[in-house]
């Protein structure tokens, strides 16, 4: 090691130059890092959407969903297949193993879709893959504001679909722009059935004639005067007049035009979703979806700039108004942890100056912080990580630990310079002092990195959430090790001077006073080891008693600053009635002082993001800035106010969530709440009956709120069943009846009209008053092959039944979900109590079973893996300690620091009312490393003193007194580095706070243990 140090000191200018290059690369990497609010925990998912006109959920399941599921089964890397069959829409979610390339997954699905298409009956829809995005991909929502009042909802939707959408799609990183609200423009052919009878024309005749009279053809080319002239025959209809003049047939020698049979007008397409605002108006809105793997902040910034450009080109009085964008939570989250990081750095540097007492040594030690942080940014860039709440949070945790190794090196060099070695050159002193403590430093920092190993092994959501934190801690500690080994000696050789005969520094005076107070105390413990044993035992016992009283959860809820109120209305409700209810709720919400604006999405717009039925509404509650809240920063208070303001709305279920939380919950478990029970079984009626009973039981459990059961039934259906014997007598085919029902009642797209590059459907349908009741449907006229006119009621039974609202499946099995949120208690104890009560009060038939999902499932998965990996990690640490000290007794003494450090963390959680969560577990893991590091420093020095021949008790007292400064400095720098996270109230602080509480609480007990218990126990555990 001395040889390496000699080379370093000889090439010290070159080493400094390399350090400057590394730091420059770190600054460059930081500027290029993607910025997100939170690690993207979305699963590796490919979605397949199939839109079909008019089919009920049971038909969607049978003819579309099942063939797609079957085709996908067996694909390499598949973990799960989940589907939803809704009215007119099938959604199949195919989940692949983590780590598989998303484009490869899409390629596999794309190939299998061809096979699935062959199994889907003709005319039942075309399966298509969803956008190349994730659950965090919905980065910006906007609506169109008409300041003039002269544009219709159809006009605004046309502007959205044909101007705004295509311009936003040109923005780099945008993969899709989805519209909702208003009316999609159509050229509608409203048929008069009486005219059909008058002119003896069938509906199929009209459909065929429109198609025959709306086409262009090319006639290749001719040669003319040595040139080629292209032949074009223009036959596409251009406007309503062209359509009106389409000849359907000749009647009594006169042409019968389309206008004689139908009214042709511009209207709005059938819609399955609308958007409302502030309880007073419908609006046209759009959602921007970012491409998988792109930088959220950069995409949002580019979209915002593009919106400014588009606003200038829109018709006068129309503007795009963004109402929700991820940028707000990204900036707030990153700002929270960045501020905590900067404040932590300042506090750590302050402690360094106080304890070191001199400017030059403090500068050497403080230099470790910027070098290690910038080194970490290089690693993050190479690993493709983003700067987010968790990755930057890892740096905040590590801040205090980054200086630990450098403190030991610089303090040892400083001690040598004052010990009479001043006659030696500064190079010799630095070389000798550094070489003495390199081995324990390498071991100590290596152990800190190793104790974070459990976080690297986490999988799924918990892995994606916490691995970035582990990576940044490991990278930062590696950077600090490089600085300690190579740069600290080099910089010390420039800045530190020989100090023989110099007076005491302020730091030494402070240390002397602390040592004078500390020495009698440690002597008492060394001389009364049984007292130390009793105190340690009491501490340990208190932790064992308190631990079972802690609640448990996956992570504390991250408050995003935007609340979503989900309304689930009766399954039979119409879209217009849903709109009325939603607008009533909007008006109530606007009475709350903290609410700035309220925008509601009912049902679904363009397929690709949301698949909700029309009885489902999502109300985005946009809040004012936090300084305008009655209780500053308290989003829970606003949520309670919302629940109170809405109260019990007859026939409507209310659930509160947040944008990102809702999307991720839905993609992971298919629900939009933090906790879900899935009841699996075959019969929908049995599923509904048992689910309602479970929900009833759940509502009796303390803490349950927003309890809801999936609405799988309750949709009125009018079922038409042709009588095959009767239709055979008239020579009528099933197809004749089905075509009539589809076109007359449901309507049929028969072509398009082009307006420049814009294209709009030609839609044929009977007039509303001719198809708006069961009797009208029964009286539809079917024409036989020989021209006989027969009412539908003579050929088929028409009956009204109650059918399914939607059918959900997972891995080929039907299931129904009971979802709820938990307030004022932890999820772990809630699930334990609820499981017990449900087991007692709800008996399930054979073949039916329950599973818990949502946050509880994630917590269980994380705990299960940590329970395996942490003991393995401790075994590995034990082996390292043994190889370092050559003594199992020494290793055991150092490991004793861990349980007493944990006691401090447990008490800290208990006293602050926090639950045992995964962030708290991360805090305990960080405690392992910090506690072991301090114990290693002290035991190593005690061994050194006893080897020099000093009696054990005297060595214990002397060693503890001399190591007082480094032990206190490492503990205080780590604790103060986390104080800003502990006190922060910004967005994301909820997730980091348990971690900071555990580490600070544990540091108190572990520092007491290191300074008092280890010296007293050393005699029993020495080599």
């Amino acid at each position: 090691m001395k040889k390496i140090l000699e080379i370093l000191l000889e090439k010290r200018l070159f080493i400094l130059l390399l350090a400057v290059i590394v730091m420059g690369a770190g600054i460059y990497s930081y500027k290029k890092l993607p910025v997100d609010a939170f690690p993207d925990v979305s699963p590796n998912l490919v979605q397949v959407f199939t839109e079909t006109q008019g089919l009920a959920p049971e038909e969607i399941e049978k003819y579309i969903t099942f063939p797609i599921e079957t085709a996908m089964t067996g694909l390499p890397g598949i973990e799960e297949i989940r589907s939803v069959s809704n009215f007119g829409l099938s959604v199949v979610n195919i989940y692949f193993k983590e780590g598989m390339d998303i484009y490869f997954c899409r390629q596999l699905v794309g190939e299998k879709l061809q096979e699935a298409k062959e199994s889907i009956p003709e005319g039942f829809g075309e399966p298509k893959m969803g956008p190349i995005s994730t659950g965090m991909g919905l980065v910006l929502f906007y609506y169109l504001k008409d300041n003039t009042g002269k544009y219709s909802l159809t006009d605004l939707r046309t502007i959205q679909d044909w101007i705004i959408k295509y311009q936003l799609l040109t923005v780099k990183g945008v993969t899709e722009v989805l519209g909702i609200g208003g009316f999609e423009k159509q050229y509608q052919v409203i048929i008069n059935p009486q005219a059909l009878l008058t002119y003896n024309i069938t509906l199929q005749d009209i459909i065929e004639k429109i198609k025959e009279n709306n086409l262009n053809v090319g006639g290749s080319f001719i040669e003319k005067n040595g040139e080629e002239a292209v032949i074009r025959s223009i036959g596409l209809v251009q406007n309503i007049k062209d359509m009106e003049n389409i000849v359907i047939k000749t009647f009594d020698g006169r042409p019968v035009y389309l206008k004689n049979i139908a009214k042709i007008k511009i209207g709005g397409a059938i819609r399955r979703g609308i958007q409302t605002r502030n309880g007073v108006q419908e609006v046209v809105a759009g959602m921007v979806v970012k491409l998988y793997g792109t930088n959220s902040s950069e995409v949002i910034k580019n979209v915002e700039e593009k919106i400014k450009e588009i606003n200038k080109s829109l018709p006068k009085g129309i503007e795009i108004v963004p109402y929700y964008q991820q940028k707000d939570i990204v900036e707030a989250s990153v700002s929270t942890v960045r501020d905590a990081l900067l404040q932590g750095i300042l506090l750590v540097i302050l402690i360094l100056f106080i304890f070191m007492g001199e400017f030059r040594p403090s500068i050497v030690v403080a230099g470790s912080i910027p070098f290690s942080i910038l080194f970490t940014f290089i690693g993050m860039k190479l690993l493709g990580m983003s700067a987010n709440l968790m990755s930057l949070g890892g740096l905040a945790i590590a801040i205090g630990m980054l200086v630990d190794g450098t403190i030991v090196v610089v303090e040892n060099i400083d001690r040598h310079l004052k010990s009479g070695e001043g006659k030696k050159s500064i190079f010799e002193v630095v070389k000798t002092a550094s070489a003495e403590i390199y081995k324990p430093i390498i071991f100590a920092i290596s152990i800190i990195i190793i104790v974070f190993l459990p976080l690297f092994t986490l999988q799924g959501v918990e892995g994606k959430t916490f691995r970035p934190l582990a990576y940044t801690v490991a990278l930062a500690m590696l950077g600090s090790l490089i600085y300690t080994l190579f740069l600290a000696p080099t910089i010390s050789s420039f800045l530190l001077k020989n100090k023989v005969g110099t007076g005491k520094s302020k730091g030494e005076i402070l240390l002397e006073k602390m040592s004078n107070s500390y020495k009698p105390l440690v002597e008492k413990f060394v001389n009364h080891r049984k007292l130390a044993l009793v105190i340690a035992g009491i501490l340990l016992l208190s932790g064992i008693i308190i631990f079972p009283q802690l609640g448990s959860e996956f992570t504390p809820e991250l408050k995003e600053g935007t609340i979503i109120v989900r309304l689930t209305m009766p399954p039979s409700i119409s879209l217009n009635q849903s709109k009325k209810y939603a607008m009533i709720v909007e008006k109530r919400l606007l009475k709350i002082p903290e609410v700035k604006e309220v925008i509601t999405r009912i049902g679904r717009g363009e397929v690709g993001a949301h698949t909700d039925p029309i009885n489902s509404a999502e109300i985005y509650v946009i809040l004012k800035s936090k300084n305008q809240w009655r209780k500053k920063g308290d989003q829970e208070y606003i949520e309670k106010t919302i629940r109170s303001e809405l109260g019990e709305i007859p026939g409507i279920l209310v659930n509160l969530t947040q944008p990102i939380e809702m999307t991720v919950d839905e993609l992971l478990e298919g629900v939009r709440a933090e906790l879900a029970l899935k009841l699996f079984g075959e019969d929908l009626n049995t599923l509904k009956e048992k689910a309602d009973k479970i929900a009833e039981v759940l509502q009796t459990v303390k803490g349950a709120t927003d309890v809801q059961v999936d609405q799988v039934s309750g949709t009125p259906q009018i079922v038409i069943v042709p009588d095959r014997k009767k239709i055979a007598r008239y020579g009528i085919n099933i197809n004749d009846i089905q075509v009539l029902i589809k076109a007359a009642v449901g309507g049929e797209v028969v072509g398009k009209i082009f307006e420049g590059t814009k294209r709009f459907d030609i839609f044929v349908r009977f007039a509303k008053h001719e198809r708006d009741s069961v009797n009208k449907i029964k009286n539809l006229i079917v024409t036989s092959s020989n021209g006989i006119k027969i009412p539908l009621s003579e050929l088929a039974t028409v009956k009204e039944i109650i059918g399914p609202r939607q059918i959900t499946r997972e891995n080929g099995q039907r299931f129904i979900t009971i979802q709820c949120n938990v307030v004022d208690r932890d999820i772990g104890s809630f699930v334990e109590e609820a499981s017990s009560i449900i087991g007692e009060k709800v008996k399930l038939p054979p073949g039916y079973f329950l599973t818990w999902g949502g946050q509880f499932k994630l917590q269980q998965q994380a705990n299960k893996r940590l329970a395996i990996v942490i003991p393995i990690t401790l075994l590995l640490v034990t082996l390292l300690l043994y190889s370092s000290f050559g003594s199992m007794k020494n290793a055991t003494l150092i490991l004793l620091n861990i349980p007493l450090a944990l006691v401090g963390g447990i008490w800290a959680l208990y006293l602050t009312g926090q639950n045992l969560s995964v962030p708290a577990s991360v805090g305990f893991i960080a405690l392992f490393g910090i506690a072991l590091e301090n114990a290693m420093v002290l035991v190593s020095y005690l061994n050194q003193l006893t080897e020099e021949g000093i009696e054990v008790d005297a060595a214990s007292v002397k060693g503890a007194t001399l190591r007082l400064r480094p032990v206190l400095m490492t503990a205080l720098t780590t604790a103060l580095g986390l104080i800003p996270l502990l006190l922060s109230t910004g967005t994301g602080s909820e997730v980091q706070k348990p971690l900071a509480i555990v580490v600070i609480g544990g540091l108190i007990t572990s520092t007491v243990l290191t300074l008092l218990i280890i010296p007293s126990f050393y005699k029993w555990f020495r080599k």
Side-chain angles (χ1 to χ4, degrees):
M1 196 69 220
K2 282 189 176 181
K3 186 65 178 173
I4 295 172
L5 283 165
E6 199 173 306
I7 296 170
L8 286 176
L9 294 172
E10 285 176 3
K11 307 287 186 184
R12 56 184 187 163
L13 288 174
F14 177 69
I15 297 298
L16 288 178
L17 178 62
L18 283 179
V20 170
I21 292 171
V22 168
M23 293 175 77
I27 293 170
Y28 172 80
S29 299
Y30 173 71
K31 291 180 177 178
K32 294 295 180 181
L33 283 179
V35 182
D36 288 311
F38 209 67
D40 192 342
V41 298
S42 305
N44 220 7
L45 168 68
V46 179
Q47 293 184 294
V48 176
F49 296 92
T50 311
E51 271 193 294
T52 185
Q53 189 178 335
L55 291 184
E58 56 266 52
E59 293 168 315
I60 295 281
E61 179 194 36
K62 184 187 295 184
Y63 300 122
I64 300 172
T65 302
F66 182 74
I68 294 173
E69 286 181 349
T70 305
M72 299 305 154
T73 303
L75 280 178
I78 277 191
E79 287 198 327
E80 188 174 72
I81 297 175
R82 191 183 299 133
S83 66
V84 179
S85 300
N86 240 321
F87 174 72
L89 179 67
S90 163
V91 184
V92 180
N93 295 324
I94 304 117
Y95 296 82
F96 288 88
K97 286 181 180 176
E98 186 183 338
M100 287 183 68
D101 181 72
I102 188 65
Y103 293 99
F104 176 61
C105 296
R106 291 177 68 86
Q107 181 184 339
L108 292 174
V109 171
E111 290 170 358
K112 281 289 187 177
L113 271 186
Q114 300 307 314
E115 179 184 316
K117 287 175 184 176
E118 294 173 5
S119 303
I120 296 173
E122 187 179 349
F124 275 32
E126 186 84 4
K128 295 177 183 177
M129 285 187 282
I132 311 170
S133 190
T134 69
M136 305 280 279
L138 292 166
V139 294
L140 187 143
F141 295 176
Y142 62 86
Y143 64 86
L144 298 189
K145 185 176 182 181
D146 175 16
N147 295 309
T148 65
K150 66 179 184 181
Y151 292 95
S152 68
L153 287 171
T154 304
D155 295 332
L156 292 173
R157 183 60 188 263
T158 303
I159 291 169
Q160 155 62 25
D161 289 347
W162 295 101
I163 298 177
I164 296 170
K165 176 175 180 172
Y166 289 103
Q167 289 196 49
L168 286 177
L169 283 172
T170 63
V171 175
K172 184 179 178 182
V174 173
T175 185
E176 186 63 273
V177 178
L178 304 170
I180 184 172
F183 297 91
E184 294 179 60
K185 182 177 175 180
Q186 276 185 340
Y187 284 82
Q188 297 180 340
V189 181
I190 309 300
I191 305 291
N192 179 357
Q194 299 305 318
L196 294 181
L197 294 173
T198 301
Y199 294 108
N200 195 26
I201 297 171
T202 66
L203 188 55
Q204 188 61 28
D205 292 334
I206 292 177
I207 291 171
E208 289 173 2
K209 289 297 181 181
I210 292 174
K211 289 179 179 179
E212 289 171 3
N213 284 275
N214 187 33
L215 71 163
N216 283 2
V217 296
S220 190
F221 63 91
I222 60 172
E223 289 190 23
K224 181 181 178 183
N225 300 327
E227 296 178 331
E228 287 185 353
V230 177
I231 309 298
R232 297 169 58 210
S233 179
I234 308 299
L236 288 173
V237 293
Q238 303 292 319
N239 48 47
I240 290 177
K241 188 176 180 181
D242 287 351
M243 291 185 65
E244 287 177 338
N245 291 321
I246 291 174
V247 176
I248 305 300
K249 67 178 291 186
T250 302
F251 187 78
D252 290 339
R254 291 178 299 170
V256 178
Y257 297 103
L258 183 57
K259 63 185 177 184
N260 300 134
I261 298 165
K263 180 181 179 182
I264 298 101
K265 65 173 187 175
I266 292 174
I270 297 171
R271 54 184 188 165
R272 303 305 296 162
I274 58 177
Q275 194 116 348
T276 61
R277 175 175 173 261
N278 289 345
V280 293
Q281 63 179 152
E282 271 194 57
V283 292
V284 172
M287 296 170 278
V288 179
V289 186
K290 83 177 182 80
L291 183 67
Y292 175 87
T294 51
N295 183 338
S296 296
S297 295
E298 192 175 310
V299 172
I300 295 169
K301 180 184 174 184
N302 293 339
V303 168
E304 286 178 328
E305 291 174 356
K306 191 67 177 179
I307 285 175
K308 289 177 184 176
E309 289 181 25
I310 299 171
N311 273 334
K312 294 176 183 176
S313 63
L314 291 177
K316 190 175 180 181
I318 295 178
E319 62 176 318
I320 303 169
V321 181
Y323 66 89
Y324 171 77
Q325 45 194 325
Q326 272 188 25
K327 180 186 77 170
D328 298 334
I329 187 174
V330 169
E331 290 178 349
S333 299
V334 173
S335 174
T336 296
V337 73
R338 187 175 56 224
D339 291 347
L341 189 57
L342 292 172
Q343 292 162 11
I345 291 171
L346 292 174
L347 288 171
V348 168
I349 292 173
L350 179 64
I351 287 295
L352 292 177
F353 276 92
I354 291 172
F355 273 85
M356 300 300 291
E358 296 178 68
F359 181 75
R360 289 170 182 263
S362 300
I363 287 295
V364 179
V365 176
S368 176
I369 297 174
F371 179 85
S372 303
I373 290 174
L374 293 172
F375 179 85
T376 304
F377 290 146
I378 296 172
M380 290 172 68
K381 181 75 170 62
L382 293 175
L383 291 170
M385 294 169 61
S386 68
N388 58 56
L389 189 64
M390 299 310 295
S391 59
L392 294 182
L395 279 177
I397 296 168
I399 280 298
M401 296 187 285
L402 297 182
V403 296
D404 290 353
T406 314
I407 286 173
V408 177
V409 170
V410 173
E411 196 216 19
N412 209 41
I413 294 171
D414 196 47
R415 188 169 59 83
H416 275 261
L417 288 172
K418 294 175 180 177
S419 65
E421 297 183 32
K423 295 175 184 178
K424 295 181 181 179
S425 70
I426 187 69
F427 296 102
E428 284 297 319
V429 174
V430 168
K431 184 170 63 174
T432 304
S434 301
E436 282 179 2
I437 39 79
Y438 264 13
K439 185 180 177 183
I441 285 174
I442 292 171
F443 267 97
I445 294 179
S446 298
I447 283 174
I448 289 175
I449 294 172
I450 286 169
V451 296
F452 278 90
L453 181 66
L455 296 186
F456 288 104
T457 66
L458 293 175
Q459 301 295 313
V461 174
E462 57 273 26
K464 290 177 180 178
T465 302
F466 293 101
R467 272 202 304 267
L469 183 147
Y471 273 116
T472 50
V473 170
L475 286 168
M477 294 310 298
L478 179 60
S480 78
L481 181 60
I482 292 169
Y483 184 90
T484 301
L485 297 180
F486 301 113
L487 286 169
T490 305
I491 298 172
S492 295
S493 69
F494 279 107
L495 296 182
L496 302 190
K497 305 295 180 185
N498 288 319
K499 299 180 180 180
V500 179
T502 59
K504 293 180 180 178
S505 68
K506 291 179 180 178
E508 288 168 327
I509 294 169
L510 174 64
L511 179 63
E512 191 174 299
K513 289 180 180 179
M514 293 174 66
S515 298
N516 290 337
S517 301
Y518 167 64
K519 189 174 181 181
L521 189 61
V522 76
E523 283 176 345
K524 186 173 183 178
F525 272 81
V526 169
N527 294 326
H528 299 84
R529 290 186 175 83
K530 290 182 180 179
L531 173 64
L533 185 61
V534 169
I535 291 173
I538 291 171
L539 272 173
L540 197 58
L541 184 62
S542 71
I544 293 170
I545 293 170
I546 289 295
F547 184 73
Q549 298 180 41
L550 294 177
S552 63
E553 61 185 351
F554 178 59
T555 59
E557 186 180 18
L558 172 69
K559 300 300 182 184
E560 299 178 26
T562 299
I563 299 170
I564 291 182
V565 178
R566 282 188 55 80
L567 304 180
T568 305
M569 292 163 276
S572 58
I573 200 168
S574 68
L575 186 59
N576 283 331
Q577 193 61 36
S578 292
K579 172 185 165 184
K580 288 178 184 176
Y581 279 136
M583 293 178 87
I584 289 170
V585 173
E586 285 179 342
K587 288 174 181 176
R588 286 193 190 179
L589 289 171
L590 284 170
K591 294 177 183 176
I592 298 170
E594 289 84 359
V595 175
K596 175 185 175 184
E597 189 174 30
V598 182
I599 298 172
T600 303
R601 178 178 56 77
I602 303 169
R604 66 175 187 262
E606 288 184 276
V607 170
H610 300 107
T611 59
D612 292 338
I614 59 171
N615 69 320
S616 175
E618 286 177 7
I619 304 176
Y620 278 74
V621 182
I622 313 301
L623 302 176
K624 296 174 183 175
S625 59
K626 289 185 178 181
N627 56 15
Q628 295 179 268
W629 294 5
R630 284 170 290 179
K631 290 190 177 182
K632 189 176 179 182
D634 191 349
Q635 188 173 313
E636 285 187 12
Y637 172 74
I638 300 173
E639 291 172 3
K640 287 179 181 177
T641 306
I642 288 173
R643 286 191 172 99
S644 173
E645 183 66 42
L646 296 184
E648 293 290 330
I649 306 175
I652 298 178
L653 299 174
V654 179
N655 175 34
L656 266 59
T657 181
Q658 300 175 103
I660 295 176
E661 177 189 9
M662 176 188 69
T663 306
V664 173
D665 283 346
E666 184 180 17
L667 289 177
L668 291 172
E669 293 292 334
V671 298
R672 294 176 180 179
E674 62 185 0
L675 195 59
L677 281 104
K678 290 181 180 176
L679 175 60
F680 288 85
E682 185 59 33
D683 183 69
L684 288 176
N685 292 326
T686 305
L687 284 173
K688 182 74 169 93
E689 178 193 341
K690 295 299 179 182
D692 285 341
K693 179 64 177 173
I694 291 168
E696 186 182 320
V697 172
L698 261 186
Q699 286 173 333
T700 66
V701 181
K702 181 187 173 186
T705 186
D706 304 337
V707 179
Q708 294 184 18
V709 177
D710 271 357
Q711 292 184 331
V712 296
S713 62
T715 303
Q717 294 182 359
I718 298 170
V719 180
I720 302 163
V721 183
D723 186 321
R724 292 181 180 270
K725 290 182 179 178
K726 288 182 179 179
I727 65 173
R729 286 201 297 268
Y730 292 103
I732 295 172
N733 296 314
I734 289 286
N735 184 62
D736 298 329
I737 295 176
Q738 305 297 55
V739 167
L740 175 68
I741 298 299
K742 181 181 177 182
V745 182
E748 185 171 348
V749 175
V750 297
K752 294 186 183 295
I753 289 183
F754 292 82
E755 296 178 5
T757 56
K758 300 172 190 171
R759 58 191 67 194
F760 303 101
D761 290 339
I762 300 172
F763 187 70
V764 173
R765 198 181 195 187
F766 272 15
K768 185 177 180 180
H769 65 274
E770 299 288 353
R771 52 174 172 79
D772 60 358
S773 69
V774 175
N775 285 334
K776 295 286 177 63
I777 292 172
K778 286 181 177 179
N779 292 329
L780 292 176
I781 299 300
V782 182
T783 304
S784 69
S785 54
N786 56 9
I788 300 174
K789 311 290 184 184
I790 311 109
L792 180 62
S793 57
E794 295 293 320
L795 303 172
T797 58
V798 182
K799 58 184 178 180
E800 296 182 70
I801 65 168
I802 300 298
R805 155 57 68 187
Q806 67 177 24
I807 301 171
T808 50
R809 297 162 60 90
E810 189 173 290
N811 293 332
Q813 288 184 294
R814 286 178 172 179
F815 72 94
I816 186 172
T817 303
I818 307 98
Q819 65 184 40
C820 73
N821 291 322
V822 179
V823 296
D824 299 330
R825 78 178 288 187
D826 65 288
I827 287 181
S829 66
F830 177 88
V831 171
E832 186 178 347
E833 182 183 345
S835 297
S836 174
I837 297 174
I838 291 169
E840 290 174 8
K841 297 189 175 181
V842 182
K843 302 302 177 186
L844 298 178
Y848 289 72
F849 61 93
L850 268 175
T851 63
W852 287 91
Q855 298 281 324
F856 176 75
K857 180 180 177 182
L858 300 178
Q859 176 199 341
Q860 294 298 98
Q861 289 173 346
N863 290 347
K864 186 178 178 182
R865 187 164 290 272
L866 290 175
I868 297 170
V869 179
I870 288 177
I872 295 171
T873 304
L874 289 176
L875 179 63
L876 184 58
V877 167
T878 304
L879 292 174
L880 279 174
L881 289 173
Y882 178 73
S883 66
S884 175
F885 287 90
S887 165
M888 201 60 193
K889 285 185 175 182
N890 276 184
T892 304
L893 178 59
I894 292 166
L895 287 170
L896 281 176
N897 219 347
I898 291 177
L900 289 177
L902 298 184
V903 168
I906 291 167
W907 268 104
L909 287 176
Y910 179 74
L911 293 173
T912 55
Q914 292 283 333
N915 294 319
L916 180 62
S917 58
V918 178
S921 300
V922 174
F924 283 120
I925 288 169
L927 264 181
F928 291 175
I930 300 163
L932 290 173
E933 182 186 34
N934 280 341
M936 282 181 68
V937 170
L938 182 55
V939 172
S940 178
Y941 192 57
L942 295 180
N943 285 342
Q944 183 182 329
L945 292 176
T946 53
E947 286 167 7
E948 291 173 1
I950 300 175
E951 192 270 329
V952 175
D953 286 355
S956 296
V957 174
K958 182 180 179 181
T961 306
L962 289 176
R963 281 288 172 254
L964 178 62
R965 179 163 76 169
V967 169
L968 285 179
M969 284 180 70
T970 52
L972 281 172
T973 51
T974 303
L976 288 176
L978 289 170
I979 286 290
L981 278 181
L982 180 65
L983 301 178
S984 174
T985 57
T987 302
S989 61
E990 306 90 354
V991 178
Q992 301 289 1
K993 195 165 288 185
L995 188 154
I997 287 170
V998 166
V999 174
I1000 292 170
L1003 276 172
I1004 294 170
T1005 51
S1006 72
T1007 304
V1008 170
L1009 173 78
T1010 302
L1011 293 175
L1012 297 176
I1013 307 296
I1014 285 183
S1016 63
F1017 283 8
Y1018 179 69
K1019 189 172 186 177
W1020 295 336
F1021 291 92
R1022 68 192 177 99
K1023 289 185 181 181

